[in-house]
Amino acid sequence: MRIYLDNCCYNRPYDDQSQLRISLEAQAKMHIQSMIRNDELELVTSFMLTFENSKNRIEEKRNAIASFMESYSSVYVSGEWREKADVIANEIMTTGVKSADALHTACAILAHCDYMLTTDDRLLKYKSDKIKVVNPTEFIMILGGTEDDE
């Protein structure tokens, strides 16, 4: 199964864990990361992830995220795909999704991902027959067969 995690997923374990939702999403993301390491899931990354991560002011987080993406990404949507990504992203933005999120989603679609994972509530409202957009906790439930993955 091919998945794409947006930038907020990568940063979730670094967020304040005192809120239950954040803690559960962080735990789910870490489990997903473990599944990627064990070749149970195929990770897709992109020029958008590289760009957004490069803007992370905290060097330790930036380096840890970059290292994981470089080590475990099996597919990288490079900037050469930008023109095609822009076309798809422009269509996605007509639904109210912000441009950066639309570009992440477009990259996931171009790479033929089964799922796009995000913790962004606005992006989670996006529905498409091209990709399923879910949060990490929901994704774990889908994998466990406890939720219908329509």
Side-chain angles (χ1 to χ4, degrees):
M1 181 180 307
R2 188 174 278 191
I3 64 169
Y4 184 106
L5 286 75
D6 74 356
N7 197 51
C8 60
C9 280
Y10 284 101
N11 283 290
R12 188 51 106 196
Y14 300 103
D15 293 338
D16 177 3
Q17 300 297 305
S18 65
Q19 294 180 37
L20 182 58
R21 174 187 171 178
I22 291 171
S23 178
L24 290 172
E25 288 174 346
Q27 289 176 55
K29 189 271 183 178
M30 297 307 291
H31 182 72
I32 292 162
Q33 197 165 293
S34 179
M35 293 178 74
I36 291 165
R37 282 192 186 106
N38 294 329
D39 294 324
E40 297 171 53
L41 296 169
E42 187 177 8
L43 179 64
V44 172
T45 58
S46 72
F47 65 91
M48 271 305 291
L49 284 167
T50 302
F51 172 72
E52 283 192 339
N53 188 52
S54 74
K55 295 190 316 183
N56 192 327
R57 294 178 310 228
I58 301 172
E59 184 178 6
E60 182 180 323
K61 286 196 262 185
R62 183 177 63 243
N63 291 341
I65 292 167
S67 177
F68 181 82
M69 288 192 300
E70 289 169 16
S71 297
Y72 295 102
S73 177
S74 58
V75 176
Y76 182 77
V77 179
S78 70
E80 294 174 8
W81 289 84
R82 180 64 191 253
E83 193 172 311
K84 289 182 181 181
D86 282 340
V87 170
I88 296 168
N90 285 334
E91 181 180 320
I92 293 168
M93 286 188 301
T94 65
T95 68
V97 174
K98 296 183 294 185
S99 61
D101 293 333
L103 272 170
H104 281 298
T105 308
C107 289
I109 290 168
L110 283 169
H112 304 286
C113 290
D114 299 292
Y115 288 91
M116 160 92 174
L117 278 60
T118 184
T119 60
D120 184 307
D121 287 334
R122 189 177 302 170
L123 183 53
L124 286 165
K125 294 176 184 173
Y126 176 71
K127 302 296 179 214
S128 168
D129 60 349
K130 296 177 184 167
I131 195 159
K132 296 172 186 135
V133 180
V134 298
N135 72 33
T137 309
E138 183 180 2
F139 182 69
I140 293 297
M141 291 173 21
I142 290 167
L143 290 180
T146 59
E147 185 165 303
D148 190 270
D149 67 349
E150 292 180 27

